Amino acid sequence: MSKRTRGLAALCLAGVMLAASACGGSSGGESESGAVELRFSWWGNNDRAEATQKVIDAFEAKNPGITVKGTYTDFNSYFDRLATEVAGGRAPDVITLGGAYPREYGDRGALLDLATVGGVLKTDKIGAAALGNGKFSNVQYGVPTGVNAIALVVNPDLFDKAGVELPDEDTWSWEDFSRIAKDLAGKLPDGSFALTDPTRTDMLDIYSRQRGESLYTADGKVGITDKTLVDWWTMTLDLLKAGATPPASQTSELTTQPAPEQTLMGRGLAAMQFDWSNQITALRKASGAPLRLIRVPGESQGTQPGMWLQASQIYTINARSEHPQEAAKLVDFLVNTADAGKIVLTDRGIPANSDVRAAIEPQLSEEQQIETAFIDTLTPKAGPPLVIGPTGSADVWKILDRVNAEVLFGRQQPAAAAADFIKQVGTAIG
C-alpha cells in the first residue's frame, strides 16, 4: 500500500472517528499560568523548523497571552501522523495541508470555516485566485502560505542567437507559439531545440481550462474532452516533425531525468520549457543563462485564463480547537505580517499577501525577485482555482507519459491516444 493510500485510508477512519470522539479533548489548552497554548504542525526539514520557530517567537512576543508549540516531521510521514491525530481528537490547532487534503479534511468536518474568525484573520490582501486554493463547497477552509505557478521559462540568449524576437506574453496565441518554435528550430545550432516536449498534466490543465474545460470536474470525473486532446497532440506532433522538439527517443529518456540540471533548459539546450515558477533559481544556476519567466500562450484568446496560482501549502484551523480566535491570530500573523515574511521569505512559496511580497523583496535573490515579479503580474490575470484531482489521480502523470510516448513514436494517432487516455484516467479515478 502506498503512502498516499495509507494516508487516505487513515483519513477515512478519521472521518468516522470525528463523530465518535466529539466529546473528547481538543488540541490546545490552558497552561498553568493561564496562558492559551496552541499547537501548530507542518512538514519540512530542520532549516524550515528553525525559521518557523523564529516566527513563533516573534508571534509570542506580540501576543504574550499565547504560547505556541510547533511540531513537524518529514513529508512522507506527516499526513499519516496527522490522520491518526485527527482520528484520536488530538489534532493541532493550526494544521498545514496541501494537495487534495484541505478538501478531504474539510468535507469530513475536521476544519474550521474561516468565516467564523473573519474578524481576526484578514484576507483582503490575498487575491481571490490564491484564496481559491483553500475554498471548497463555498467554504473557506484555509489560506495559502505562498504561491507559485506554471510558466514558460525562456532562454533569451538562444533567442538572440537565432535572431528570433521574444513573444508578447499579453497577446500571443498557440498559433504564435508554434510559429515561433518552428522559426527557432530552423536557426538554432545542432543539438539545441526550440523547446522540450510540452506534454505534461499541468499543461493539459491549462490548455483545457482556456477552453472552459479542466482535466477533472468538480465531482471527480474526467473533464478534458477528446477534441482538446486531439488538438494538443496534433500540435505537438507538428512541432516534433519540424524539429522544434527532440526526437521521441530523447524525450522518452528525458522523462526519467526530472532534475533541473538534467533538463534541456538546465543544460542550455532549449529556448523554451514549461515549468513551475519556483524552478527558476535551479534552472538559472544549472544553465548559467539569464532565464526569464513569461505567461503561457493562449491566455488572451481563450474562454478564460488557463493559468492559476498554486498554493505551496495551506494553513487551516482544527474545527475542534478550544481556541479558534487565538489560532486565527497565529495564521493571520503567518500570512499577513512583514515580521513573519522577512523570516520565512520564499520557503513556503511567494507570499500570497501583496504587502508582504513587497516587504521582503529587498532581501530576495535576483532569481527570487524574478519569481516574485512574475507572481505579481499574474495575480490579477489568473484564472479560477484549479480543480483538485480526485483519489486515484496521483498516478495520472504516468498514464500521460505512456500514452504520449505512443503518440511521439507514431504507434498511436491523436484520436486513438485521446480515447485511450480518457479511458485509462477514468479507470484510475473510478
Side-chain angles (χ1 to χ4, degrees):
M1 182 181 289
S2 70
K3 287 279 188 181
R4 174 174 170 78
T5 304
R6 289 202 304 273
L8 289 175
L11 184 56
C12 290
L13 175 63
V16 173
M17 294 186 69
L18 273 171
S21 61
C23 297
S26 83
S27 52
E30 303 286 342
S31 69
E32 292 183 2
S33 63
V36 170
E37 182 178 283
L38 301 174
R39 288 177 58 225
F40 167 32
S41 70
W42 68 91
W43 68 84
N45 57 20
N46 290 335
D47 290 340
R48 175 173 291 172
E50 183 178 346
T52 305
Q53 186 57 52
K54 290 179 181 178
V55 173
I56 290 172
D57 293 343
F59 172 77
E60 290 178 339
K62 290 182 177 294
N63 297 273
I66 306 173
T67 59
V68 180
K69 180 181 179 181
T71 60
Y72 74 100
T73 186
D74 63 278
F75 179 83
N76 289 333
S77 59
Y78 178 80
F79 291 100
D80 287 344
R81 187 177 80 171
L82 178 62
T84 301
E85 290 176 327
V86 171
R90 295 175 283 102
D93 298 274
V94 175
I95 305 168
T96 306
L97 293 174
Y101 287 106
R103 166 172 281 179
E104 292 170 358
Y105 276 107
D107 285 348
R108 287 171 171 79
L111 304 180
L112 184 72
D113 178 351
L114 298 186
T116 62
V117 290
V120 177
L121 173 53
K122 304 299 183 182
T123 59
D124 55 302
K125 293 293 184 178
I126 301 175
L131 277 175
N133 285 269
K135 188 173 185 177
F136 307 100
S137 304
N138 293 317
V139 178
Q140 193 75 47
Y141 287 117
V143 292
T145 65
V147 294
N148 61 0
I150 284 290
L152 183 66
V153 184
V154 297
N155 186 331
D157 287 350
L158 290 183
F159 272 82
D160 288 343
K161 287 180 181 178
V164 176
E165 290 187 6
L166 289 170
D168 182 341
E169 62 179 322
D170 290 323
T171 62
W172 72 324
S173 65
W174 285 103
E175 290 75 18
D176 294 326
F177 169 74
S178 293
R179 174 180 51 77
I180 290 170
K182 292 176 185 177
D183 195 11
L184 285 164
K187 298 175 180 178
L188 288 172
D190 289 344
S192 295
F193 297 93
L195 72 154
T196 54
D197 181 78
T199 302
R200 42 191 290 168
T201 55
D202 37 48
M203 287 310 302
L204 290 186
D205 246 317
I206 286 178
Y207 192 69
S208 62
R209 279 160 58 91
Q210 290 176 347
R211 297 176 171 215
E213 305 169 8
S214 59
L215 189 51
Y216 309 106
T217 63
D219 59 351
K221 307 297 182 183
V222 181
I224 194 169
T225 64
D226 285 79
K227 176 172 172 33
T228 294
L229 287 165
V230 168
D231 289 347
W232 176 264
W233 270 312
T234 298
M235 176 184 67
T236 62
L237 272 180
D238 188 43
L239 293 172
L240 172 64
K241 292 172 182 175
T245 55
S249 58
Q250 190 171 356
T251 291
S252 181
E253 181 181 354
L254 287 167
T255 59
T256 67
Q257 301 172 342
E261 61 273 13
Q262 296 173 318
T263 64
L264 292 178
M265 180 63 67
R267 289 154 56 194
L269 299 176
M272 298 184 288
Q273 177 174 297
F274 294 106
D275 215 326
W276 288 98
S277 57
N278 61 1
Q279 293 298 300
I280 188 67
T281 297
L283 288 170
R284 271 190 151 211
K285 180 179 179 181
S287 67
L291 307 180
R292 291 176 50 182
L293 298 172
I294 66 174
R295 295 199 304 285
V296 306
E299 289 291 275
S300 58
Q301 290 83 27
T303 301
Q304 64 180 6
M307 298 180 70
W308 71 93
L309 291 175
Q310 177 71 40
S312 304
Q313 296 163 27
I314 297 283
Y315 288 136
T316 66
I317 296 175
N318 181 356
R320 299 182 61 229
S321 171
E322 293 180 359
H323 306 291
Q325 298 293 320
E326 289 83 358
K329 280 187 177 182
L330 175 58
V331 176
D332 184 75
F333 187 83
L334 289 166
V335 300
N336 289 328
T337 68
D339 288 344
K342 289 178 180 179
I343 296 170
V344 176
L345 296 177
T346 62
D347 178 67
R348 286 175 166 94
I350 300 299
N353 181 302
S354 55
D355 288 348
V356 176
R357 286 204 298 271
I360 70 170
E361 187 173 356
Q363 294 178 243
L364 301 181
S365 68
E366 180 182 356
E367 288 74 23
Q368 290 170 326
Q369 290 183 27
I370 290 171
E371 186 185 353
T372 300
F374 178 75
I375 295 298
D376 272 339
T377 301
L378 176 61
T379 295
K381 301 176 181 179
L386 183 71
V387 177
I388 300 297
T391 302
S393 63
D395 289 332
V396 167
W397 67 270
K398 296 178 183 177
I399 296 173
L400 181 59
D401 278 353
R402 289 196 298 268
V403 176
N404 188 52
E406 294 295 296
V407 174
L408 297 182
F409 280 105
R411 296 190 289 259
Q412 276 190 335
Q413 293 302 306
D420 188 18
F421 176 74
I422 289 175
K423 181 180 179 180
Q424 289 194 53
V425 174
T427 300
I429 64 179

